[in-house]
Amino acid sequence: MPGSIDSRYLIRVYNWTISSKIRVAAAGVILSIILLAAAIFLHPALFAVITLVILLLLGFTAYRIRNTGVALEYPGVDRFFQQVPCYLTIQDKDMRIIRTNEQFRVDFGDRRGELCYKAYKGIEDICPNCPVIKTFDDGKTHHTEETVVTKDGKMARMIVYTAPVTDETGKVVGVMEMSTNITQVKDLQDQLDAGRREYMELFERVPCYISILDPEMRITRANKLFRQVFGNNIGKLCHQVYHDRDTVCDDCHVVKTFKDGKIHNIEKTVIKPDGDEARLIVYSSPILDEKGQVVSVMEMATDITEVKRLQRELIYMGKTIAFMAHRIKNILMGLEGGIFVVNTGMEDKDDAMVNQGWNMIERNVKKVSQIVKDLLYCSKEREMNFQQIDPVSIVRNVYELYQGVAKKAGVGLRLSIPDKLPVGRFDPDALHSLLSNLIINAIDACVGDASERKDSHQIEIRAWCDKRCGYVFEIEDNGAGIPGIIGETIFDDFFSTKGREGTGLGLLVAHKVIEEHDGTITFRSSEGEGTIFKAVFPPCAEE
Amino acid sequence: MPKKILIIDDEADMQTYLKVLFEKAGYETMIAANGEEALVMLTDMQPDLITLDVLMPRKSGLNFFQALRSGDTTKNIPVIVVSGIAGHREFFDSDPPGGPIAFVDKPIVPDKFLGQVKKLLGE
């Protein structure tokens, strides 16, 4: 087989033949003498056979030597072969390396005559997808990426190109392999890929909503949290997703960023797919192309619903403290005044004055007690004590309690309730407190009413129950009414006309009680005309 | 003849306290439950001093004060504003025209309070 001749032998023979013409001539002479001797001493037939075999072997060897020579002397090889700053080798059909350049020998040693996969990788089998074989097969250039081991045992990543070495007839007699060490490039690429993956991971996992918008306000990308909460809305308009509407929001910060390329922020309320509202703080940041033009805008939103709630609570707490301080100062004044009046009465031996002072003290102690009670209702300290009761008795009790107070204030108090209502689930003390506070507010609203066109001030307490609405309690007065601007926050804030009896916490207490009963409280008011508060409790369960 | 002090406060206990305090100190007192009531009273009488609460129904202390200072016969009446609201003096002009004005925080200290009353009355 042609391939059975070791190319190391061929290279050696080739180098030997081209290195000294005298040696070649001498070899020819020796061979001729041997043949002459054989012709003299051997049988002519045997001589003919031996001569034929020798000529065949010589012919075949000469053919292989010629191929090796063509490959080795490939036009132009010598000119650049050694200087090229990459690994250059030439392989013969047996995959043996027959020529190497300087760079290759520095990093891999002189591996001429060795199988290329052994020399490059130290393996025993031809590499899968070998470009050298492909080039031998089709005579074309091929390339691949390979990981090899240098002579000092280091791994190196290579990009390998192969080109055919042909003889004058165009036959592929060898393959030149050019390998470039791309270890550093690959390492950088790996780092780049790792960085890209890290950024993608960051983009995906950052605990806020991130979306990328194009100039048409379409969402082109969104992170995981955004997709989880608002759905996979890629391609949709952001105002559709956030606000379920077809027009761009007024004063849109994304539009501003597209216009001026700057970062803008805004606080806005959006509707989540589950129907809940969320308060978001949203930043829009430009994404620029290589010319510095804004091509898209990144919108980053953080849900601050809970923060806002806490902020409201803090404001509320601040107001509570300020309000309480004011209230307590007044009570202290009342107590100190009471003591002063008692002492003055005792000095003057005036029993009426002593009584007057004592009443002042009693009233203010009661106020302290009421404030503490109201504060307990507003806070979470008090557990509800639900019982199955007919609320009529509570309503009647509150009515009787405040009849005298109302009369003293010049206000008529009427009761319009049935004799009985179905038994329902109530906390009796809480219901009592709610109704008391609403009646106290109603009395204060009547006392503070400056209108001169009303003949008298009246309060009416109504209660009824139906299976659909549940229990309804209404307190209607024709007092001063509630100004519109106060009405907006009436249940979230202190509402006080600085009435004589109220603590200012009344509506907060009412709101708290109704919440605990899963009910609702609303009001209708007209400034100068009066107010109706309506507390609705859930209907009683069907028997 | 005792000097007259008009007490304007919607809190009954405060009215009683100041009334007893002033009368014990030898002053004559009159009481109004709010600014509106006080303005009506001022058409018939001329007090030597007014003690004024800030938060009141119908007509607040500030509204009353502005009306007081715009009246020819009332603009020079000395006023002591008595309130439990923190920083209540911020609601008023720092140097309003007309008679003198002083601010007292609740709860009052009786002797100190009477000292300020005497000072405003020029005693």
Side-chain angles (χ1 to χ4, degrees):
Chain A
M1 265 181 81
S4 61
I5 301 172
D6 194 317
S7 44
R8 275 173 291 193
Y9 160 74
L10 291 171
I11 296 164
R12 235 176 276 131
V13 172
Y14 173 76
N15 287 331
W16 185 79
T17 52
I18 62 169
S19 59
S20 170
K21 285 176 183 170
I22 296 165
R23 270 191 299 200
V24 176
V29 171
I30 293 165
L31 189 60
S32 299
I33 292 167
I34 293 168
L35 283 175
L36 187 63
I40 294 166
F41 299 109
L42 293 180
H43 188 275
L46 184 61
F47 166 73
V49 171
I50 290 169
T51 306
L52 194 62
V53 169
I54 288 169
L55 285 174
L56 278 173
L57 279 171
L58 280 172
F60 180 70
T61 305
Y63 172 78
R64 289 298 307 271
I65 289 168
R66 172 191 162 276
N67 283 354
T68 303
V70 169
L72 288 172
E73 296 303 330
Y74 185 64
V77 164
D78 280 335
R79 285 200 297 279
F80 69 85
F81 207 86
Q82 299 304 328
Q83 286 80 29
V84 172
C86 60
Y87 308 122
L88 281 179
T89 57
I90 293 175
Q91 274 95 292
D92 66 10
K93 261 192 173 306
D94 298 333
M95 312 299 286
R96 288 190 186 277
I97 296 168
I98 56 175
R99 193 176 177 90
T100 57
N101 74 339
E102 181 64 28
Q103 185 72 47
F104 179 88
R105 289 193 294 276
V106 168
D107 287 340
F108 293 91
D110 186 2
R111 313 298 288 265
R112 279 177 294 179
E114 283 187 39
L115 295 162
C116 62
Y117 43 87
K118 181 92 176 165
Y120 271 123
K121 297 184 178 176
I123 57 175
E124 299 298 332
D125 295 312
I126 293 173
C127 310
N129 209 28
C130 171
V132 177
I133 291 178
K134 285 180 185 171
T135 300
F136 269 119
D137 287 346
D138 61 14
K140 290 178 181 168
T141 298
H142 291 275
H143 73 274
T144 181
E145 274 187 35
E146 302 289 341
T147 302
V148 301
V149 184
T150 59
K151 65 178 182 187
D152 50 8
K154 284 183 184 166
M155 302 283 277
R157 312 261 299 263
M158 303 281 206
I159 183 156
V160 180
Y161 282 87
T162 55
V165 177
T166 54
D167 61 12
E168 61 279 3
T169 64
K171 190 172 186 304
V172 181
V173 293
V175 169
M176 182 164 67
E177 195 173 50
M178 186 172 77
S179 306
T180 308
N181 191 337
I182 54 165
T183 309
Q184 281 187 333
V185 175
K186 277 288 172 187
D187 286 350
L188 284 173
Q189 203 173 26
D190 287 349
Q191 283 173 21
L192 199 66
D193 287 347
R196 195 176 290 136
R197 275 198 302 277
E198 202 175 311
Y199 279 113
M200 276 309 295
E201 195 71 359
L202 196 70
F203 178 81
E204 281 293 302
R205 294 193 182 276
V206 72
C208 58
Y209 312 120
I210 300 182
S211 54
I212 310 291
L213 306 175
D214 70 10
E216 289 178 354
M217 312 300 282
R218 287 190 189 282
I219 298 168
T220 56
R221 273 175 72 192
N223 75 334
K224 193 173 174 183
L225 189 63
F226 182 97
R227 295 194 303 272
Q228 273 176 357
V229 175
F230 294 99
N232 195 7
N233 284 305
I234 306 299
K236 287 193 181 169
L237 297 163
C238 73
H239 40 271
Q240 277 178 342
V241 175
Y242 276 137
H243 300 289
D244 194 21
R245 66 174 180 223
D246 297 328
T247 52
V248 176
C249 312
D250 295 336
D251 205 27
C252 172
H253 56 291
V254 177
V255 170
K256 284 182 189 170
T257 298
F258 268 117
K259 274 185 187 163
D260 62 16
K262 291 180 180 166
I263 294 171
H264 292 275
N265 70 75
I266 193 172
E267 264 188 46
K268 63 180 180 182
T269 302
V270 300
I271 304 156
K272 292 183 185 173
D274 59 10
D276 285 352
E277 282 193 347
R279 190 75 182 158
L280 304 181
I281 183 161
V282 189
Y283 284 85
S284 57
S285 175
I287 297 175
L288 310 174
D289 63 10
E290 63 278 2
K291 291 176 189 162
Q293 300 294 313
V294 183
V295 286
S296 47
V297 167
M298 178 168 72
E299 195 175 44
M300 192 169 82
T302 307
D303 193 334
I304 53 166
T305 312
E306 186 63 10
V307 175
K308 281 283 162 189
R309 190 187 63 76
L310 287 171
Q311 203 176 38
R312 277 201 304 277
E313 283 198 2
L314 278 174
I315 292 169
Y316 168 70
M317 194 188 290
K319 283 184 182 174
T320 307
I321 292 165
F323 184 85
M324 283 299 119
H326 175 238
R327 215 64 191 160
I328 287 164
K329 277 181 190 175
N330 280 337
I331 292 168
L332 267 178
M333 276 294 288
L335 286 170
E336 284 179 6
I339 292 165
F340 184 82
V341 174
V342 168
N343 287 339
T344 307
M346 286 170 79
E347 279 171 24
D348 297 350
K349 305 208 183 312
D350 182 343
D351 288 347
M353 191 180 280
V354 171
N355 275 339
Q356 196 178 13
W358 189 246
N359 286 340
M360 285 168 70
I361 293 169
E362 276 187 339
R363 259 197 307 276
N364 284 286
V365 168
K366 268 186 194 168
K367 280 183 186 172
V368 172
S369 164
Q370 187 60 41
I371 281 181
V372 171
K373 208 171 159 189
D374 284 354
L375 277 174
L376 279 175
Y377 272 109
C378 291
S379 73
K380 289 185 166 45
E381 286 177 34
R382 187 181 178 279
E383 291 268 319
M384 285 282 146
N385 175 27
F386 290 110
Q387 294 174 23
Q388 294 294 324
I389 56 162
D390 175 355
V392 160
S393 58
I394 307 284
V395 182
R396 201 176 294 282
N397 187 282
V398 174
Y399 165 72
E400 285 164 5
L401 192 65
Y402 284 96
Q403 214 176 12
V405 177
K407 194 176 176 185
K408 208 171 154 190
V411 179
L413 187 63
R414 281 204 307 268
L415 185 65
S416 302
I417 55 167
D419 291 338
K420 277 177 74 176
L421 282 171
V423 171
R425 181 175 170 268
F426 293 96
D427 177 325
D429 288 347
L431 181 61
H432 193 283
S433 187
L434 178 144
L435 294 171
S436 298
N437 277 304
L438 291 181
I439 291 169
I440 289 167
N441 281 351
I443 294 171
D444 284 346
C446 290
V447 172
D449 184 19
S451 170
E452 288 172 1
R453 60 191 169 78
K454 292 171 191 164
D455 296 333
S456 64
H457 283 105
Q458 298 292 333
I459 297 170
E460 184 168 328
I461 305 166
R462 296 186 285 266
W464 69 92
C465 178
D466 68 54
K467 283 177 183 172
R468 194 174 56 83
C469 296
Y471 297 88
V472 183
F473 301 89
E474 273 189 353
I475 313 291
E476 180 174 4
D477 68 67
N478 64 343
I482 300 165
I485 196 159
I486 294 175
E488 288 170 13
T489 57
I490 195 164
F491 294 112
D492 302 327
D493 215 336
F494 298 100
F495 175 63
S496 175
T497 52
K498 206 190 172 208
R500 290 152 208 273
E501 300 296 331
T503 60
L505 297 166
L507 288 179
L508 287 176
V509 171
H511 194 229
K512 171 87 176 161
V513 169
I514 209 87
E515 263 190 349
E516 297 284 358
H517 282 80
D518 296 324
T520 56
I521 186 164
T522 53
F523 74 97
R524 292 198 314 274
S525 184
S526 177
E527 195 172 356
E529 298 293 326
T531 306
I532 304 173
F533 273 95
K534 184 177 183 180
V536 182
F537 290 75
C540 47
E542 293 287 335
E543 291 297 325
Chain B
M1 196 174 159
K3 290 191 172 169
K4 291 177 196 167
I5 299 177
L6 173 60
I7 300 162
I8 310 176
D9 202 303
D10 64 325
E11 293 270 350
D13 292 344
M14 192 65 190
Q15 292 169 2
T16 308
Y17 184 12
L18 295 181
K19 179 181 159 64
V20 173
L21 182 69
F22 289 144
E23 286 179 357
K24 196 180 175 190
Y27 300 109
E28 194 178 308
T29 59
M30 287 151 293
I31 292 171
N34 57 61
E36 198 177 275
E37 207 176 301
L39 284 176
V40 173
M41 289 172 79
L42 285 173
T43 56
D44 294 335
M45 50 87 77
Q46 181 81 7
D48 297 293
L49 182 135
I50 293 171
T51 68
L52 180 64
D53 189 13
V54 178
L55 278 186
M56 288 180 294
R58 298 192 187 206
K59 198 170 207 56
S60 73
L62 183 61
N63 286 343
F64 167 80
F65 183 76
Q66 285 161 348
L68 184 82
R69 285 294 190 248
S70 60
D72 288 338
T73 55
T74 56
K75 65 181 174 188
N76 290 319
I77 301 172
V79 174
I80 297 186
V81 180
V82 187
S83 177
I85 302 170
H88 61 276
R89 62 195 66 199
E90 304 295 325
F91 301 140
F92 293 80
D93 289 339
S94 54
D95 187 18
I101 183 168
F103 296 92
V104 173
D105 291 322
K106 287 181 183 176
I108 59 167
V109 179
D111 291 344
K112 203 173 161 188
F113 183 62
L114 283 175
Q116 275 181 296
V117 168
K118 282 180 181 167
K119 194 176 161 190
L120 285 188
L121 288 171
E123 292 175 348

